[in-house]
Amino acid sequence: MRAKGAGMSGGEPQSSNFYLHSVFLLLLCLFTSYCSSSSYIKSSVIAQRKHALLPEISPSEAPQPLLPLLAPSPFSPFTNSSIPKLSGVCILNFAAVESMMRMTSIDCVGGFAPYLANVICCPQVDATLTVLVGQSSKDTNMLALNGTLAEPCLSDFEEILVGQGANDSLPRICSIHPSNLTEGSCPVGDVNAFESTVDSSSLLAACGKIDTVNECCKQVCQNAIAEAAGKLAVKTYDLMSIGGSHALADHSTRINDCRTIVLRWLASKLDPSHAKEVLRGLSNCKINKVCPLVFPNMSHVIKSCGSELHDQRACCKSVESYVSHLQNQSFVTNLQALNCAASLGLKLQKANITKNIYNLCRVSLKDFSVQVTPQGVESGCLLPSLPSDAVFDSSTGLSFLCDLNDNIPAPWPAPSQLPASSCNKTVKIPALPAAASGQSRICSADQASHALFVVLAIFALLMKI
């Protein structure tokens, strides 16, 4: 599989100064870890949280169980590949987010960064930058950098990550610019002015700890952030002095820039790990609302599967070819896959394709995510809807959790269908996979029944010497 993703993740080949010169293999395997009690509890807790997040389950047909494949020996340990060359002028306190920086390097490792960008890598990068500026404000009393310092600080940030194994094109992949470290158009950039303008105690009460399952629906913290950003945006600012639509557009930009200032202030009041949890939870509310895939021209599908469908084989062949291009873009979450299935289905319906070609051609939800074919067996990976990170272990290598990794049929959308959402209880999520009988040979029967997640292990990934 070549790293040539598109859409939000970018996907052009990584620059030559940091190349992975070995092919890699993705292999799906059971998350067993010797079937220890700790791994069993982790699977159970995640499964319970997932049931709380997803809308009502309404199976139309029980899917077949996923039979896992066993993984070979892990690849060589992930280690620092270079010593970063820092500018020496950046005032940010990188030591305060040392642990987050290491996690970001793993989440955005080398050639996998484009594929993990929209769900794991870029949200982690954004959270790390926010916490970095927020924690540094304890020393500087500033919630933003000026333009002179922003550029070298962003360069230092990238150098440290690349030195720990991250992709060397993160600014392009995640659309990060020096302006992301400034106050933008927000009129408030220092802590004293912030706390004199905003009801900081109410803001901290609403966002000091969030429920990652329910926040996207109840929006307790999001509403508090919006209120605070609104107060900052109108400080020393007269909407009436700017006319018409330009005033509204300018005010919207200021609101967004001030929202960033609010998040940095929150990050300064929480410890880095806690701040990360809040920020990643908030970002996931936005992530799961959309389909991150870019749909290329579908004229050949429309031609083969038009209203007068005469050749089912030709239709399905064109659908398979089209979907295969989508699979080169990015890993997606289960809710994103539902939104992608709905988006593509509605586009086809607008082109007068009325027949349910998902059912006709056996298109599944996992077909909208990156596919791997270990030992000739096609497998796909849908990431969990809740925030997650990649995991590095010296004995097992690099891995991340996959949710609903089986052949759940993609639902053909109704013409007026709402986007898939954990808040929209009218959306029906297909059945969860049944427990595979083969699991009992690896774990106890009780443990196997809870193995709803699998680990996607990554092997044979060697860094440039």
Side-chain angles (χ1 to χ4, degrees):
M1 181 174 64
R2 298 173 59 189
K4 55 177 181 178
M8 180 176 175
S9 65
E12 299 171 11
Q14 188 182 348
S15 59
S16 59
N17 64 338
F18 186 81
Y19 230 105
L20 302 180
H21 57 261
S22 173
V23 296
F24 50 81
L25 172 68
L26 292 178
L27 185 64
L28 292 168
C29 63
L30 269 182
F31 183 39
T32 55
S33 299
Y34 307 106
C35 295
S36 64
S37 59
S38 61
S39 66
Y40 163 67
I41 292 172
K42 182 177 180 182
S43 294
S44 298
V45 170
I46 294 175
Q48 291 167 6
R49 294 176 71 192
K50 169 174 60 57
H51 282 300
L53 176 71
L54 293 177
E56 177 185 351
I57 294 176
S58 178
S60 57
E61 181 178 345
Q64 294 301 310
L66 171 70
L67 296 178
L69 298 172
L70 297 179
S73 300
F75 67 95
S76 301
F78 176 84
T79 58
N80 292 356
S81 58
S82 65
I83 298 176
K85 297 178 181 178
L86 304 184
S87 65
V89 300
C90 182
I91 62 174
L92 295 180
N93 184 7
F94 288 99
V97 292
E98 183 178 357
S99 178
M100 281 191 72
M101 295 283 282
R102 285 198 300 268
M103 187 74 262
T104 305
S105 298
I106 295 172
D107 284 345
C108 302
V109 61
F112 291 103
Y115 293 102
L116 297 173
N118 95 84
V119 180
I120 294 179
C121 173
C122 295
Q124 176 66 14
V125 169
D126 290 340
T128 304
L129 280 174
T130 300
V131 176
L132 175 60
V133 178
Q135 289 290 312
S136 298
S137 71
K138 295 178 180 180
D139 301 319
T140 65
N141 203 45
M142 297 299 297
L143 295 168
L145 299 180
N146 60 40
T148 302
L149 287 175
E151 187 169 347
C153 284
L154 182 60
S155 176
D156 288 354
F157 178 77
E158 182 185 3
E159 281 287 328
I160 294 172
L161 292 180
V162 171
Q164 295 175 339
N167 190 292
D168 65 353
S169 298
L170 286 183
R172 174 184 55 78
I173 293 173
C174 297
S175 299
I176 305 170
H177 309 284
S179 59
N180 294 124
L181 296 175
T182 69
E183 71 273 16
S185 61
C186 187
V188 177
D190 69 87
V191 175
N192 293 334
F194 181 96
E195 294 181 349
S196 67
T197 306
V198 171
D199 185 351
S200 54
S201 59
S202 296
L203 175 61
L204 194 57
C207 298
K209 184 178 182 180
I210 67 169
D211 183 337
T212 54
V213 172
N214 294 314
E215 171 61 28
C216 297
C217 303
K218 296 182 178 179
Q219 300 185 14
V220 175
C221 178
Q222 293 171 83
N223 289 337
I225 291 172
E227 181 181 352
K231 290 181 178 179
L232 297 179
V234 297
K235 190 175 178 65
T236 65
Y237 180 62
D238 184 7
L239 275 175
M240 300 304 295
S241 66
I242 305 177
S245 60
H246 180 70
L248 294 176
D250 184 64
H251 186 63
S252 176
T253 300
R254 289 169 70 98
I255 289 286
N256 288 333
D257 290 341
C258 287
R259 182 180 182 276
T260 300
I261 298 295
V262 175
L263 293 177
R264 291 173 187 167
W265 180 87
L266 279 171
S268 74
K269 299 301 178 183
L270 306 173
D271 65 83
S273 62
H274 192 179
K276 172 199 167 175
E277 181 181 349
V278 171
L279 295 171
R280 289 290 302 274
L282 293 174
S283 68
N284 254 49
C285 295
K286 181 179 179 180
I287 288 169
N288 286 313
K289 287 180 180 179
V290 299
C291 169
L293 303 182
V294 175
F295 296 106
N297 186 289
M298 54 186 71
S299 57
H300 65 294
V301 177
I302 296 171
K303 181 179 179 180
S304 302
C305 306
S307 55
E308 296 182 4
L309 178 59
H310 299 296
D311 190 339
Q312 177 178 332
R313 184 175 181 180
C315 170
C316 290
K317 185 176 181 180
S318 65
V319 170
E320 180 182 359
S321 174
Y322 187 85
V323 170
S324 69
H325 288 289
L326 300 181
Q327 294 165 358
N328 291 330
Q329 294 187 31
S330 173
F331 286 104
V332 299
T333 69
N334 42 39
L335 284 176
Q336 284 181 327
L338 284 166
N339 284 321
C340 290
S343 296
L344 178 58
L346 290 173
K347 288 179 181 292
L348 293 173
Q349 289 175 11
K350 288 180 181 179
N352 295 321
I353 296 179
T354 56
K355 194 175 291 290
N356 182 349
I357 62 171
Y358 289 169
N359 182 58
L360 187 71
C361 302
R362 298 183 179 181
V363 177
S364 63
L365 285 181
K366 72 179 180 63
D367 290 329
F368 291 90
S369 191
V370 173
Q371 304 287 295
V372 291
T373 54
Q375 300 178 9
V377 180
E378 185 181 85
S379 300
C381 170
L382 296 176
L383 300 176
S385 297
L386 292 173
S388 62
D389 289 298
V391 177
F392 172 74
D393 182 270
S394 58
S395 60
T396 61
L398 197 67
S399 62
F400 47 94
L401 295 175
C402 293
D403 190 12
L404 301 179
N405 184 25
D406 69 340
N407 293 310
I408 294 176
W412 185 252
S416 59
Q417 180 172 319
L418 295 173
S421 168
S422 58
C423 309
N424 180 12
K425 299 304 179 182
T426 63
V427 176
K428 306 297 184 180
I429 303 295
L432 295 173
S437 58
Q439 291 174 343
S440 61
R441 293 195 296 267
I442 303 174
C443 306
S444 68
D446 287 341
Q447 290 175 338
S449 66
H450 288 278
L452 298 178
F453 290 78
V454 297
V455 175
L456 193 145
I458 305 171
F459 302 100
L461 185 150
L462 300 176
M463 293 302 194
K464 179 180 178 182
I465 298 175

